[in-house]
Amino acid sequence: MTKDSSSIRLRPAEPADAPAIRDIVRAAYAKWVPVIGREPLPMRTDYDKAVAEHPFELAVEDGGIVGMIETMVAEDHLWIENVCVAPLAQGRGIGRLLLERAEHKAIEAGRRELRLLTNGAFEANVSLYKRCGYIVDREEPFMNGVTVYMSKRLAG
């Protein structure tokens, strides 16, 4: 029997979580390196700096971090800088849980729109966002690929 997301709890990240966040991001994005021929930008982020500057919510199970979402409140929307789930925890609804948390954060901040971007080659990610109600706003060439800009409007 595979676990679902019911054993997951969410908590804000603390500075001491930066190394674990870096490790989970590197593990989650590693599968895309052969697809695009380089490390995706999140793999090269300084997470000590990012955790100090932006809110991160962590998905925790059995004391370990299995997913995370990094968000920033912008003037008229909530920006999702990064969301990822550890490879061994994927397919259990944790990504959806993290995206739902971002929606709550947007509402708390008085924002009715969420925005993000992803690489067009990351088809599984684009599909997840579409299933969660995001639409493609535009696509732009980037480093021999395509950046897909997506957004979701919230009711209210």
Side-chain angles (χ1 to χ4, degrees):
M1 184 182 108
T2 58
K3 290 181 169 180
D4 61 16
S5 63
S6 62
S7 59
I8 301 296
R9 68 179 184 85
L10 299 178
R11 71 165 174 84
E14 300 166 0
D17 295 316
I21 290 169
R22 183 194 64 242
D23 292 347
I24 201 169
V25 169
R26 292 194 62 78
Y29 282 88
K31 68 181 176 186
W32 300 118
V33 173
V35 175
I36 65 172
R38 62 174 173 81
E39 286 191 346
L41 297 179
M43 291 179 78
R44 296 183 287 193
T45 296
D46 176 346
Y47 285 98
D48 289 311
K49 185 173 188 288
V51 170
E53 294 178 354
H54 312 135
F56 282 72
E57 294 283 330
L58 306 179
V60 179
E61 182 175 55
D62 299 329
I65 298 168
V66 295
M68 70 91 191
I69 190 164
E70 175 185 4
T71 59
M72 294 172 239
V73 176
E75 189 174 318
D76 62 349
H77 64 280
L78 184 82
W79 176 257
I80 298 173
E81 177 68 16
N82 191 359
V83 58
C84 69
V85 175
L88 293 174
Q90 290 176 4
R92 294 175 36 208
I94 297 169
R96 184 180 295 269
L97 192 68
L98 289 163
L99 291 169
E100 287 172 2
R101 177 66 190 122
E103 290 182 24
H104 291 294
K105 290 183 76 163
I107 291 166
E108 289 167 3
R111 305 300 184 270
R112 293 286 170 212
E113 184 176 21
L114 295 101
R115 296 182 192 165
L116 58 83
L117 63 79
T118 190
N119 190 308
F122 302 173
E123 293 176 9
N125 298 11
V126 174
S127 294
L128 170 66
Y129 301 137
K130 285 181 176 178
R131 286 194 309 274
C132 290
Y134 287 77
I135 60 166
V136 174
D137 295 316
R138 69 184 191 281
E139 297 182 355
E140 294 180 359
F142 179 74
M143 294 180 76
N144 301 317
V146 175
T147 299
V148 180
Y149 293 82
M150 302 180 79
S151 65
K152 179 176 183 175
R153 296 277 315 159
L154 300 175

